[in-house]
Amino acid sequence: MDKIVSKIAALGVPGLVFLFAVGATGLAGAASITAALAALGPGGMIGGIATLGIMGLISEAIAEYGFDAIFKAVVIELYKRGEDPESLFMKIDNYPVSKGLKLKLKEKIKSLEKEQVKNQDNITQQ
């Protein structure tokens, strides 16, 4: 049952976004579809189709793992790719998420920093 609900949610979000975009164009028929797809993404209609596909993947991941887990994984990946912790803290402060999640994300980065310092100390001692 949970898998079925997550698949419906994954298909539903892009569909709802597309439906809203079509309604917002004020056009009818094929012109409304073309205008909606062009408005949804960079690069015209192809970009709009790609944007809807990406929305489907993201919404499926959120349905399966939860928003907090996805957000945390993205922040950890940014840190692992060499993003400066201070710039990550600034980004986190600007995210439209709860204060509690912001604190959790910042604590995770701090723990990753401590772990990295500990690993570097172990390497230099060997």
Side-chain angles (χ1 to χ4, degrees), residues 6 57-71 73:
S6 72
L57 294 173
I58 291 171
S59 63
E60 184 175 348
I62 290 172
E64 187 170 340
Y65 300 107
F67 181 76
D68 290 3
I70 300 295
F71 225 92

Side-chain angles (χ1 to χ4, degrees), residues 17-55:
V17 170
F18 180 67
L19 185 62
F20 178 75
V22 167
T25 64
L27 301 170
S32 66
I33 294 170
T34 302
L37 287 173
L40 284 174
M45 289 178 60
I46 301 297
I49 293 168
T51 300
L52 289 173
I54 291 168
M55 281 183 196

Side-chain angles (χ1 to χ4, degrees), residues 13 55 57-76 91-92 94-102 104-105:
V13 170
M55 281 183 196
L57 294 173
I58 291 171
S59 63
E60 184 175 348
I62 290 172
E64 187 170 340
Y65 300 107
F67 181 76
D68 290 3
I70 300 295
F71 225 92
K72 191 180 222 182
V74 168
V75 170
I76 290 169
K91 284 181 181 180
I92 290 169
N94 291 327
Y95 288 154
V97 295
S98 69
K99 289 181 183 179
L101 181 55
K102 288 179 183 183
K104 287 179 189 177
L105 293 172

